[in-house]
Amino acid sequence: MESGPVNLNEFEELARKILLKMNYDFFSGGAEDRYTLRENIKAFQRILFRPRVLIDVSKIDMSTSLLGFKMAAPIMVAPTGLLKLANREGEVAVARAAAACNTIMVLSFSSNSTIEEVASSCDAVRFFQLYIYKQRDVCITLVKRAESNGFKAIVLTVDTPRLGRREADIKNKFVIPKFANLEGLLSVNVKSEGGSDLEAFSSATLDDSVSWKDIEWLRSITKLPILLKGILTAEDARKAVEARVAGIIVSNHGARQLDYAPASISALEEVVRAVSGAVPIILDGGIRRGTDVFKALALGANAVMIGRPIIYGLAAKGENGVRQVIEMLQNELELTMTLNGCPGLKDITRNHVQTEHDRLRSML
């Protein structure tokens, strides 16, 4: 009997075989030359451990909290859209798996399941991802629906004044399926002249005039905490703190926006230093192992988000596949903590890792 996947890369291979090529290319693809897409993973591989020994690791505690909400481990579900292209149960299956693993799911605005469907699927803590549209009343409606359905925070994606150039989608003439949450609010009947309909839709609807002053506008329409997703520099991290956001998500949008932007993990420490503990920091992008989670925590992240692995688990094995992906990362993190001599998350320190910069500095 053939065994099931034993790591997240094997889930991706299963998904590649199952999904339509256009859909796999959409989920797996990056911008332009895909340099940042490759770097998101390779940058983790250049970080080495400095393990400590002869420490009692008979009990490992991975539990944590974010904005006061408890999680079994510092591993969250990132906002990923159009999940019914991977499995007919889409976001509802992901919501149930996240709840079973006692973690937080961020629901994408572009989900194929409505806010209401996901909210009623199970009892769990969830955040809602938002873009700012030219039609601001659309934002207001979405935020109010999220509030009334028990979502606990708004995750504003700030790195997308326009959609990045995703050449696989252009070649495949990617067609937009139903954006369930936008029905009756925005028309998705936007056609590209020979390219990606998603790119044409984004150009027609996203507000590319958004600036820091709009954070205050967003705060004026909701009492929910606001996290900014898409910060990569110390300068923007400091502005985010000045704007009184509740958290920062260090992210390059899964390498789908600006190619040759740094890998998220490479930008993390700069942001951590700039913030100095003022708000929690979440790392998004490139997580494929529990060792990656540990490295992000050692460099100052409070938690990480996983996106593509969730999609691959969903495509391969539905709700159970998503649950297996999350549990696989949790188990790998537990082992990594054990072998590094860290019985709790508070024991993970900067001294447990060595970056390329550290090695270069030691040679001077």
Side-chain angles (χ1 to χ4, degrees):
M1 181 183 296
E2 186 176 348
S3 63
V6 297
N7 58 53
L8 267 55
N9 292 325
E10 291 184 1
F11 270 106
E12 178 175 1
E13 183 58 23
L14 279 178
R16 186 185 64 79
K17 293 176 181 177
I18 291 169
L19 291 171
L20 293 174
K21 181 181 183 300
M22 179 176 72
N23 295 345
Y24 175 77
D25 287 350
F26 167 70
F27 288 131
S28 66
E32 296 184 347
D33 297 328
R34 310 208 305 175
Y35 168 83
T36 301
L37 183 66
R38 295 186 295 271
E39 190 66 9
N40 263 359
I41 292 174
K42 289 181 177 179
F44 275 106
Q45 297 170 352
R46 294 192 293 267
I47 301 171
L48 305 179
F49 290 127
R50 301 182 69 251
R52 303 298 302 276
V53 299
L54 294 177
I55 295 171
D56 182 357
V57 287
S58 57
K59 293 181 180 178
I60 300 293
D61 183 7
M62 299 186 295
S63 62
T64 189
S65 64
L66 183 74
L67 305 183
F69 302 111
K70 294 180 180 179
M71 297 185 289
I75 301 168
M76 303 168 60
V77 175
T80 52
L82 306 179
L83 293 187
K84 286 189 178 180
L85 295 180
N87 178 279
R88 58 188 177 83
E89 292 190 319
E91 292 80 11
V92 168
V94 173
R96 289 174 176 158
C101 295
N102 190 21
T103 192
I104 297 171
M105 171 192 181
V106 184
L107 179 66
S108 170
F109 91 96
S110 61
S111 61
N112 295 133
S113 304
T114 65
I115 292 169
E116 293 77 12
E117 287 170 336
V118 172
S120 63
S121 66
C122 57
D123 185 21
V125 174
R126 280 177 288 269
F127 298 169
F128 181 71
Q129 180 226 19
L130 181 73
Y131 287 79
I132 293 183
Y133 303 97
K134 294 174 182 176
Q135 295 177 230
R136 294 299 177 91
D137 57 325
V138 173
C139 300
I140 295 171
T141 299
L142 291 175
V143 167
K144 296 305 179 186
R145 283 170 60 189
E147 285 181 336
S148 64
N149 282 278
F151 285 70
K152 302 301 184 184
I154 299 297
V155 173
L156 179 66
T157 295
V158 294
D159 59 6
T160 314
R162 290 179 57 185
L163 205 68
R165 182 174 174 81
R166 306 167 190 177
E167 294 177 357
D169 294 344
I170 295 171
K171 287 182 178 179
N172 292 331
K173 296 181 172 54
F174 183 75
V175 178
I176 304 175
K178 183 177 72 171
F179 286 171
N181 288 313
L182 297 181
E183 285 196 338
L185 298 176
L186 281 176
S187 171
V188 297
N189 295 320
V190 179
K191 296 296 180 183
S192 168
E193 295 182 4
S196 164
D197 286 356
L198 182 61
E199 185 175 2
F201 169 77
S202 299
S203 296
T205 59
L206 295 182
D207 188 349
D208 56 8
S209 72
V210 171
S211 66
W212 287 100
K213 70 180 185 298
D214 292 299
I215 306 303
E216 187 61 35
W217 170 80
L218 181 57
R219 185 179 289 107
S220 74
I221 66 170
T222 182
K223 293 181 179 179
L224 293 179
I226 298 167
L227 297 89
L228 299 190
K229 178 176 180 288
I231 302 295
L232 288 172
T233 65
E235 294 89 337
D236 282 344
R238 285 190 285 266
K239 285 187 175 182
V241 172
E242 291 169 3
R244 296 179 292 125
V245 301
I248 289 172
I249 302 170
V250 177
S251 172
N252 54 35
H253 210 112
R256 296 162 73 81
Q257 280 299 103
L258 178 64
D259 202 15
Y260 297 95
S264 297
I265 190 65
S266 299
L268 174 61
E269 205 164 16
E270 173 183 334
V271 172
V272 168
R273 284 195 293 265
V275 169
S276 298
V279 296
I281 295 174
I282 302 164
L283 187 282
D284 167 69
I287 298 287
R288 295 297 184 274
R289 286 281 188 182
T291 50
D292 298 336
V293 180
F294 186 101
K295 291 170 183 178
L297 298 176
L299 291 175
N302 298 96
V304 303
M305 281 182 171
I306 50 173
R308 286 185 178 93
I310 293 293
I311 300 169
Y312 301 144
L314 180 66
K317 295 192 173 187
E319 179 183 331
N320 190 48
V322 176
R323 185 169 179 171
Q324 287 180 42
V325 163
I326 298 171
E327 290 176 343
M328 197 173 282
L329 277 181
Q330 290 175 341
N331 291 338
E332 288 183 4
L333 174 60
E334 182 180 35
L335 179 59
T336 306
M337 290 172 65
T338 301
L339 297 179
N340 270 292
C342 298
L345 297 181
K346 65 179 179 7
D347 300 305
I348 302 173
T349 70
R350 178 63 174 81
N351 288 331
H352 284 98
V353 293
Q354 183 187 63
T355 65
E356 280 186 298
H357 180 71
D358 296 333
R359 292 191 289 277
L360 288 171
R361 187 170 54 190
S362 69
M363 295 168 59
L364 296 178

